[in-house]
Amino acid sequence: MFSRWNWVACGFCLVLNICSPDASSGLVQSCGHIIPESPVLALGSNFTALCILNESCLDFGNIYASQIIWKIKNRLVPKEQYREINRTVSSVTFNDTSSLATPLTCNILADGQIEQNIYGITVTVGLAPEKPKNLSCIVHQVSRFTYVMTCTWNPGRHTFLDTQFRLRYSWPEEIFPDCIPKDVNNSCTITDIQFFVNTEIWVEATNALGKAESDPLVVDPIDIVKPLSPQNVSVSSGILPTVLKLSWENWISDAVMTLKFNIRYRIVGDTNWMEVPSEDTASPRTSFSVQGLRPYTEYAFSIRCMKEDGEGYWSDWSEEKTGITPEDQPSKGPPIWRIIDTSHSPAFWTVHLIWKALKPFEANGVILQYEVTVRDKSSLSCPVKKYNVTSTNHTLQLPEGTYEVTLIARNSVGASPPSVLLIPASNSKAPVKNLRTLPKHDKLWVGWTAPNSYVLKYVIEWCLVSSSSDCIIEWQIALGDVQGIDLKGIKPFKCYLITVYPLYADGQGSGQSVKAYLKQDRPSKGPTVQTKKVGKAEAVLTWNHLTVEEQNGFIRNYTILYKTIDGNETVVTVDPSKTEYTLSSLTSDTLYTVRMMASTDNGSRTGPDFTFTTQKFGKGEIEAIVVPVCLAFLLIVLLGVLFCFNKRDLIKKHIWPIVPDPSKSNIAQWSPQVPAKHNFNSKDQMYPEGSFTDVSVVEIEADDKKSFSEQDLKPFDLLKKEKSTSEGHSSGIGGSSCMSSPRQSVSDSDEGETTQNTSSTVQYSTVVLNGYRDQTPLQVFSRSESTQPLLDSEERSEDHSGGADSTAQRQQYFRQNGGQDETNTDRLCFEGTKQITHADEGDLVGFVQLQISGQSSQPLGFGMEKNTQEAALSSVLQTCTEGQTVRPETVEENLLPVDEMPKSYLPQTVRQGGYMPQ
Amino acid sequence: MAAADSPSAALRRDLCSRGIRLAGKMRADVVDLLDAYVEQQGLDASASVAAVEGLPLAAVERWDEQTGTQRLLENLAAYRAFRALLAQMLEEQREQLGEADAGLGRALAAVLLQVSAFAYHLEELLRLESRGIPGEEEEEEDGPPPPPRLSLFEQKLRGLGVLRELAQWAVRSVRDLRQLAKPSPATGVAPGLAESP
């Protein structure tokens, strides 16, 4: 068993050696081979291969055809495709070569299980070349004597094989070398071209599966030439202003072929080409005069050529050459218009003549100058005035009238036809009707309806409306038979004012104007609104119109939007012509926010918010409340005053008790033991422990007020002037306490009134002094019938009073005095008295109340003017506040204690050396 | 008598027309080639050259009395001779200059091709005339013997003579073909034209 396997192994080793890749080299004999060897197969065809085993291997390796298996690459071919032809030959058949791949190997299964390769072949599958189609050739001229022919064709389907294409051409008796394409399979270029001989050209495609030829193309190469374009093209101008002569050189001599040409030209700057009629250039030539050109215009020319008989191809266009035609005289007069300024004087015009420079095709050259001729048609005697102008405007100062202006443009060749403008004294003719505008893309169409009369032409003025600068007028002339033109150069979102004037043969119509936008937008800003007046339920809003630059279109309306803080917004639309609007039905004392929106046809824009607060009260409401209240208050006050006046005595009694003036008491005069002591400095002296037990009232009244003459009052006038302070307070209750010096007062009275008061009667009352605190009164005064004067004043009092006790007079006195006190005497004085009262309330049993009615007091009550009294009051106030020492002195004098009265109290008259009572 | 509209007549007109233009171009090319040749070979353009042996002269007496066939035959003989001479010149040129002056060689080759093409035109016209075309081999056998070995200068001079004569023949051929192209009742009858090459 071991020996048998060993034998088999050795046999395989032998086969392996035999079937090694270099087996065919001859050094090692192969056990078999495949027929056919490396075939090239047509795609889709059937194919049969045979594997033939060598006889020598049959015995040696025990190998037979029945053991053969076929493989494509590593894939086993189904055994159904095998066929054992004999002991050494096995075949395999493929119905479709598309299933084949490389390599196809023949293998055997030794002992039925060990696979060993016998032989392998490479199978190439592809397609035979298709017949090349659409063969065409063109001969390119590459230089003056050099031509190359390039032929192209359609190579057909891909063959999957290496396919060679070759372009072949021949003469009947001459076969030329083939043209083999490089890198491509559909074109080839032949450099050796001979003209005038019909050449047969065809393409041959060859690969392993076959060869195919295109249909032959028989052509004389001269008939498929694309020549080089003419060279050295030049343009020259001649005498005629509409002709330019074009010259060139041809690359091809007439011996080879004659040419025809195409000439094209255009105005420099224009993109549209014009062509010279082909029949004019259908013959061989080297120059051509192009006619019908515009004078003084630069043209660009280009030329191309081809074989004269039309066989072949047009050359490329030559490079452009330019030339300028000569000048000619201007073909038309410049359009002219005028602007008349009558601002200085209506009767004297400033006429601005303006005209447009002629377009190049109208000017036909360089305009050297313009000649302006002005003829006054209203006065035949006026000479014609001529002006030579180099600019396009001219200003004239002319009196009002009708003028004919003629304008001529002149260049180096000649003058233009004249342009005539009639300037009538007034534009009295019919205007155009129904002036309207319509935007058309980037142009603005202006249309109108012609007047009934024949119109020579129309002048259309337009200008950009601006709030910051003047309207710069542009204008254009339209013929009389048109009723609309397109305005160019119109900017969008700008307002233009367009005016159309009809010009008649004998005058001019008035201008009709319209404002227009080429394109509208929403305003660039909204109106700024503010309040002009705010009421309780209404507010007057004002705003300014948007400037024309801000409008960006026609303002169709304004919209006012207002609301409270938490309320809904209310919208009001306002006519665009208004700048004020009154909001009504507002809530009082409420904060409102208002803003305003301006709208055009293309949108809106809102301005800034503005807030305001409505008032709490309406107009007149406050007045209606305040006035009645004031009136009521005044009424109450008046009633109070009346009441007080009626009850004045009662009030007076409660407020100002009658305080007698101790200085005028007779007691001091009648008490000889009382030392003439006037200083009541200490409080103890003022308020001794002793008190009055009884008080008698001494009333001194004047007999008749009328008894005081003016002379009598004069000293008092003087006194008023000099010593108003003393006078003002000498008679009042508080005034006495405020007097700085009773002595001064008395002495003053003495000096002025001594004589006249001698007749006064003094009624003396008995003053009974009770002992103070069980002390015996020092003195008891009783009524005396003595007529001896005690004091001058007292004498005067006696004279006036006559000893009568008149209650009415007393009341009158107090009324007068009280009035003075109420009005003139300061409250301080009253308070001073009050203080004293409080201080000695328990000590004072009573006061000697002294009513003085006489000359000394009367001036105080009647002779002083109100102002004087006020001045006196001021002085008193001054005195009361500053001279604090005065008031106590006076009070002390008035309230002298009884026990010290003899020592301290002494009437001033006595002290001054007057009468001393016994 | 061929009808004017018959295919053969059209073909004849076409051959004549093409031949005329080919002869014209050949003349132009030969003139250019002459200038290049003289300059290249260092010759004097005014140098007189003896007639090349075996080459029929273009100038002929009583040219206007020739028939069309006669014209064609003379032209064919001449251009066959030119073809042989030019081929020899081209070979000599390559031997002398190698690839140093490819331009002159290309120009010579181009003229040679044109001569061949013109000879083809003449043969076609002769066929249309229903005349037999003389065989070249026969001509070669009966024609001038191979030229003796010439010196280099003699070769140059001979080449100059060949090109000059070819230029002359080109002019004559144009006129011959124009004569042939004219519609005539009998192609064999020579038109009475006074012009002579």
Side-chain angles (χ1 to χ4, degrees):
Chain A
M1 186 68 179
F2 173 77
S3 60
R4 184 180 175 181
W5 278 111
N6 193 21
W7 167 249
V8 170
C10 290
F12 284 136
C13 291
L14 179 62
V15 171
L16 184 64
N17 289 331
I18 291 172
C19 297
S20 63
D22 294 329
S24 60
S25 63
L27 296 175
V28 179
Q29 189 178 5
S30 172
C31 274
H33 63 281
I34 297 174
I35 297 174
E37 176 74 35
S38 298
V40 177
L41 305 174
L43 194 64
S45 63
N46 55 19
F47 170 66
T48 300
L50 301 175
C51 183
I52 303 170
L53 299 175
N54 292 339
E55 290 287 344
S56 59
C57 292
L58 294 179
D59 299 331
F60 182 75
N62 217 6
I63 298 171
Y64 302 98
S66 60
Q67 296 174 292
I68 289 176
I69 58 172
W70 292 87
K71 295 181 90 175
I72 300 172
K73 284 191 175 178
N74 294 321
R75 180 168 54 87
L76 188 65
V77 177
K79 290 194 175 181
E80 293 79 17
Q81 295 178 233
Y82 302 172
R83 180 167 168 247
E84 183 180 354
I85 295 175
N86 56 34
R87 198 166 64 97
T88 61
V89 178
S90 173
S91 71
V92 63
T93 301
F94 300 93
N95 291 327
D96 189 351
T97 53
S98 60
S99 61
L100 278 172
T102 296
L104 174 64
T105 56
C106 171
N107 308 274
I108 62 168
L109 283 174
D111 289 340
Q113 52 187 333
I114 299 175
E115 180 181 323
Q116 184 60 47
N117 179 261
I118 297 296
Y119 202 77
I121 60 171
T122 299
V123 178
T124 304
V125 178
L127 294 169
E130 279 189 320
K131 178 182 174 181
K133 299 171 187 171
N134 301 331
L135 174 63
S136 65
C137 299
I138 181 171
V139 176
H140 292 280
Q141 184 184 16
V142 293
S143 70
R144 184 176 290 273
F145 301 109
T146 309
Y147 301 85
V148 296
M149 184 170 69
T150 300
C151 295
T152 57
W153 60 89
N154 179 3
R157 66 187 177 190
H158 183 49
T159 61
F160 307 104
L161 300 175
D162 180 22
T163 304
Q164 282 198 339
F165 289 86
R166 61 182 62 221
L167 179 68
R168 311 192 72 176
Y169 64 107
S170 68
W171 289 346
E173 296 179 344
E174 187 98 25
I175 295 178
F176 298 100
D178 295 340
C179 178
I180 298 175
K182 292 179 180 176
D183 304 326
V184 295
N185 63 356
N186 64 343
S187 72
C188 195
T189 299
I190 301 169
T191 56
D192 186 14
I193 295 298
Q194 294 301 320
F195 294 136
F196 310 116
V197 182
N198 281 336
T199 306
E200 185 176 358
I201 306 167
W202 72 98
V203 178
E204 194 175 276
T206 307
N207 67 10
L209 293 177
K211 182 175 76 172
E213 289 184 356
S214 69
D215 293 333
L217 174 67
V218 180
V219 64
D220 184 348
I222 197 68
D223 292 335
I224 53 174
V225 171
K226 181 183 180 183
L228 288 173
S229 55
Q231 62 173 348
N232 297 333
V233 179
S234 64
V235 182
S236 59
S237 60
I239 301 172
L240 295 174
T242 58
V243 175
L244 284 176
K245 185 179 180 183
L246 198 62
S247 302
W248 64 90
E249 294 177 9
N250 294 319
W251 284 94
I252 297 179
S253 68
D254 290 343
V256 177
M257 65 178 177
T258 54
L259 299 171
K260 66 178 181 180
F261 303 89
N262 269 171
I263 297 172
R264 65 177 183 177
Y265 60 96
R266 62 181 173 88
I267 296 173
V268 172
D270 195 353
T271 56
N272 297 323
W273 287 97
M274 295 163 281
E275 270 195 33
V276 174
S278 57
E279 56 268 24
D280 292 350
T281 55
S283 58
R285 60 181 64 238
T286 57
S287 67
F288 188 81
S289 291
V290 182
Q291 304 176 20
L293 304 178
R294 290 177 182 168
Y296 197 63
T297 304
E298 185 175 18
Y299 285 90
F301 294 89
S302 181
I303 188 170
R304 67 178 181 176
C305 62
M306 74 175 298
K307 194 159 171 275
E308 184 182 8
D309 58 6
E311 299 284 344
Y313 301 91
W314 281 105
S315 70
D316 295 328
W317 287 102
S318 68
E319 62 174 347
E320 294 180 21
K321 289 291 181 181
T322 60
I324 301 175
T325 50
E327 285 192 27
D328 195 5
Q329 62 186 19
S331 60
K332 61 176 286 191
I336 184 171
W337 185 231
R338 87 293 175 277
I339 297 173
I340 299 175
D341 183 4
T342 59
S343 59
H344 297 295
S345 169
F348 209 76
W349 290 349
T350 300
V351 180
H352 301 281
L353 295 175
I354 50 178
W355 57 89
K356 291 182 183 295
L358 291 171
K359 295 185 175 70
F361 63 88
E362 297 168 338
N364 292 339
V366 179
I367 299 299
L368 302 176
Q369 68 175 21
Y370 297 95
E371 293 177 6
V372 180
T373 306
V374 180
R375 177 182 292 114
D376 187 352
K377 296 198 76 173
S378 55
S379 171
L380 296 175
S381 60
C382 284
V384 175
K385 296 178 180 177
K386 286 189 176 181
Y387 309 92
N388 290 330
V389 186
T390 55
S391 63
T392 56
N393 58 74
H394 187 60
T395 301
L396 298 170
Q397 301 290 336
L398 297 172
E400 182 184 6
T402 299
Y403 298 92
E404 184 183 81
V405 179
T406 305
L407 179 66
I408 290 172
R410 189 177 289 278
N411 63 12
S412 61
V413 177
S416 71
S419 295
V420 179
L421 175 67
L422 183 67
I423 303 177
S426 63
N427 298 340
S428 57
K429 301 290 182 179
V432 297
K433 294 173 282 189
N434 192 21
L435 183 61
R436 59 205 180 273
T437 62
L438 185 67
K440 282 184 177 178
H441 302 293
D442 59 339
K443 293 179 282 191
L444 186 65
W445 179 81
V446 180
W448 58 85
T449 301
N452 295 328
S453 306
Y454 174 71
V455 178
L456 282 180
K457 52 192 172 184
Y458 297 95
V459 174
I460 301 94
E461 283 185 353
W462 71 94
C463 67
L464 178 63
V465 180
S466 171
S467 61
S468 58
S469 60
D470 292 336
C471 209
I472 299 173
I473 292 176
E474 296 181 76
W475 58 281
Q476 184 174 336
I477 286 180
L479 296 177
D481 56 351
V482 302
Q483 296 189 13
I485 62 165
D486 290 327
L487 301 184
K488 297 177 183 176
I490 302 296
K491 299 174 184 173
F493 317 130
K494 302 290 185 186
C495 182
Y496 284 87
L497 178 66
I498 301 165
T499 307
V500 177
Y501 298 91
L503 303 185
Y504 301 93
D506 55 348
Q508 177 179 315
S510 58
Q512 291 289 305
S513 296
V514 66
K515 283 186 175 179
Y517 284 87
L518 175 64
K519 198 174 178 183
Q520 295 191 49
D521 195 4
R522 62 175 188 159
S524 56
K525 62 174 285 191
T528 302
V529 66
Q530 56 187 357
T531 54
K532 181 181 179 183
K533 185 180 173 185
V534 177
K536 180 182 177 183
E538 71 282 333
V540 181
L541 303 178
T542 62
W543 61 90
N544 292 325
H545 285 305
L546 296 177
T547 64
V548 70
E549 286 85 1
E550 295 167 344
Q551 289 179 7
N552 291 339
F554 292 114
I555 300 295
R556 298 302 182 194
N557 57 58
Y558 289 120
T559 305
I560 298 172
L561 306 101
Y562 65 98
K563 63 175 182 179
T564 59
I565 290 177
D566 53 352
N568 291 330
E569 193 168 57
T570 307
V571 177
V572 179
T573 303
V574 184
D575 188 85
S577 62
K578 294 183 176 178
T579 58
E580 186 174 307
Y581 185 79
T582 302
L583 299 179
S584 58
S585 302
L586 302 178
T587 308
S588 63
D589 194 23
T590 304
L591 179 67
Y592 279 90
T593 300
V594 62
R595 58 199 168 97
M596 198 157 178
M597 184 168 67
S599 303
T600 66
D601 292 338
N602 287 53
S604 307
R605 197 178 288 274
T606 306
D609 287 353
F610 183 81
T611 57
F612 65 90
T613 306
T614 52
Q615 293 184 352
K616 196 167 187 178
F617 298 102
K619 183 180 180 182
E621 279 188 5
I622 294 177
E623 289 83 348
I625 295 170
V626 170
V627 170
V629 169
C630 291
L631 289 176
F633 179 74
L634 287 174
L635 187 61
I636 291 168
V637 169
L638 187 61
L639 291 173
V641 169
L642 289 174
F643 177 77
C644 293
F645 185 76
N646 288 334
K647 301 293 183 180
R648 64 185 181 280
D649 293 339
L650 184 62
I651 294 170
K652 184 178 177 183
K653 190 175 291 182
H654 281 286
I655 297 176
W656 296 292
I658 298 170
V659 179
D661 187 356
S663 65
K664 295 179 177 58
S665 173
N666 295 332
I667 298 171
Q669 295 170 3
W670 295 337
S671 179
Q673 295 88 353
V674 175
K677 190 175 180 180
H678 294 279
N679 294 327
F680 305 100
N681 294 327
S682 68
K683 203 170 181 179
D684 294 338
Q685 291 172 335
M686 286 178 64
Y687 305 106
E689 291 188 356
S691 61
F692 298 100
T693 56
D694 192 7
V695 176
S696 297
V697 175
V698 179
E699 292 182 354
I700 303 167
E701 292 179 333
D703 290 335
D704 188 5
K705 295 174 186 176
K706 295 179 180 177
S707 61
F708 300 107
S709 63
E710 290 296 324
Q711 291 177 346
D712 295 334
L713 292 173
K714 280 180 180 176
F716 287 96
D717 291 338
L718 183 63
L719 184 64
K720 277 192 290 184
K721 293 174 183 174
E722 295 177 354
K723 299 176 181 179
S724 58
T725 305
S726 302
E727 292 172 356
H729 301 279
S730 59
S731 59
I733 296 170
S736 60
S737 64
C738 293
M739 289 297 290
S740 59
S741 173
R743 181 174 59 89
Q744 185 183 5
S745 178
V746 171
S747 63
D748 291 341
S749 299
D750 290 345
E751 289 173 3
E753 298 172 5
T754 305
T755 324
Q756 295 182 6
N757 289 340
T758 51
S759 60
S760 301
T761 60
V762 178
Q763 184 179 9
Y764 295 96
S765 60
T766 302
V767 179
V768 179
L769 295 174
N770 294 328
Y772 179 67
R773 293 183 181 177
D774 299 335
Q775 293 180 11
T776 305
L778 294 177
Q779 294 177 0
V780 175
F781 297 93
S782 61
R783 186 177 180 90
S784 175
E785 294 298 328
S786 172
T787 58
Q788 185 179 4
L790 295 174
L791 296 170
D792 292 340
S793 61
E794 288 176 355
E795 287 177 358
R796 284 193 298 269
S797 297
E798 285 177 357
D799 293 338
H800 286 290
S801 63
D805 188 5
S806 173
T807 305
Q809 286 177 341
R810 187 169 65 244
Q811 287 178 348
Q812 184 178 5
Y813 167 78
F814 274 103
R815 186 163 53 243
Q816 292 166 352
N817 249 356
Q820 283 183 348
D821 292 338
E822 284 175 6
T823 55
N824 297 339
T825 306
D826 197 284
R827 196 163 47 93
L828 283 172
C829 300
F830 170 70
E831 288 173 353
T833 307
K834 200 174 177 182
Q835 277 182 336
I836 296 166
T837 306
H838 287 303
D840 300 335
E841 190 175 7
D843 298 335
L844 289 176
V845 177
F847 287 92
V848 176
Q849 186 172 13
L850 180 62
Q851 286 190 341
I852 301 172
S853 176
Q855 293 175 341
S856 63
S857 61
Q858 192 164 7
L860 304 176
F862 298 99
M864 294 176 66
E865 296 296 328
K866 179 84 173 176
N867 291 335
T868 310
Q869 291 172 359
E870 289 176 355
L873 176 60
S874 301
S875 301
V876 169
L877 283 170
Q878 191 79 14
T879 307
C880 291
T881 52
E882 293 176 358
Q884 293 296 329
T885 57
V886 175
R887 186 171 57 192
E889 182 182 353
T890 308
V891 173
E892 286 168 1
E893 190 176 3
N894 291 338
L895 302 176
L896 192 65
V898 176
D899 54 350
E900 293 181 9
M901 188 68 76
K903 296 178 182 177
S904 61
Y905 181 77
L906 187 66
Q908 294 171 354
T909 51
V910 174
R911 197 187 52 158
Q912 289 173 351
Y915 171 76
M916 177 70 73
Q918 295 299 317
Chain B
M1 180 179 126
D5 297 334
S6 67
S8 61
L11 180 58
R12 187 168 179 271
R13 271 202 311 277
D14 179 64
L15 284 171
C16 287
S17 171
R18 209 186 305 276
I20 290 168
R21 290 157 64 192
L22 177 57
K25 182 174 188 302
M26 188 164 56
R27 173 175 163 75
D29 290 349
V30 170
V31 169
D32 292 339
L33 180 59
L34 266 174
D35 293 339
Y37 186 83
V38 168
E39 184 181 354
Q40 180 65 35
Q41 302 293 349
L43 299 174
D44 184 0
S46 61
S48 61
V49 180
V52 178
E53 189 179 353
L55 191 64
L57 293 177
V60 64
E61 293 180 358
R62 307 180 73 85
W63 171 84
D64 55 338
E65 295 178 359
Q66 286 185 330
T67 62
T69 303
Q70 189 178 2
R71 294 174 195 277
L72 290 173
L73 289 173
E74 286 187 5
N75 272 274
L76 182 60
Y79 283 97
R80 281 180 173 171
F82 279 124
R83 187 166 58 191
L85 289 169
L86 286 172
Q88 186 179 356
M89 281 177 62
L90 189 60
E91 188 176 352
E92 291 171 354
Q93 185 72 22
R94 285 173 181 160
E95 287 176 0
Q96 293 170 17
L97 302 174
E99 297 297 327
D101 193 350
L104 186 62
R106 279 199 298 272
L108 270 174
V111 170
L112 176 58
L113 276 176
Q114 291 172 27
V115 168
S116 298
F118 195 75
Y120 162 72
H121 277 287
L122 295 173
E123 289 170 0
E124 288 295 306
L125 284 169
L126 281 171
R127 275 193 205 97
L128 287 175
E129 297 288 336
S130 303
R131 296 297 299 264
I133 302 172
E136 290 187 62
E137 297 172 351
E138 198 174 317
E139 270 186 25
E140 287 175 1
E141 290 178 0
D142 299 338
R149 195 69 185 174
L150 300 176
S151 66
L152 182 59
F153 185 70
E154 288 171 335
Q155 289 177 5
K156 290 180 180 179
L157 282 181
R158 189 191 60 185
L160 181 60
V162 168
L163 293 177
R164 280 180 177 172
E165 195 60 34
L166 179 57
Q168 293 290 330
W169 263 108
V171 174
R172 176 182 168 177
S173 298
V174 169
R175 294 187 176 181
D176 283 336
L177 290 180
R178 280 179 179 163
Q179 284 296 107
L180 287 170
K182 287 180 181 175
S184 57
T187 54
V189 179
L193 292 178
E195 58 182 347
S196 173

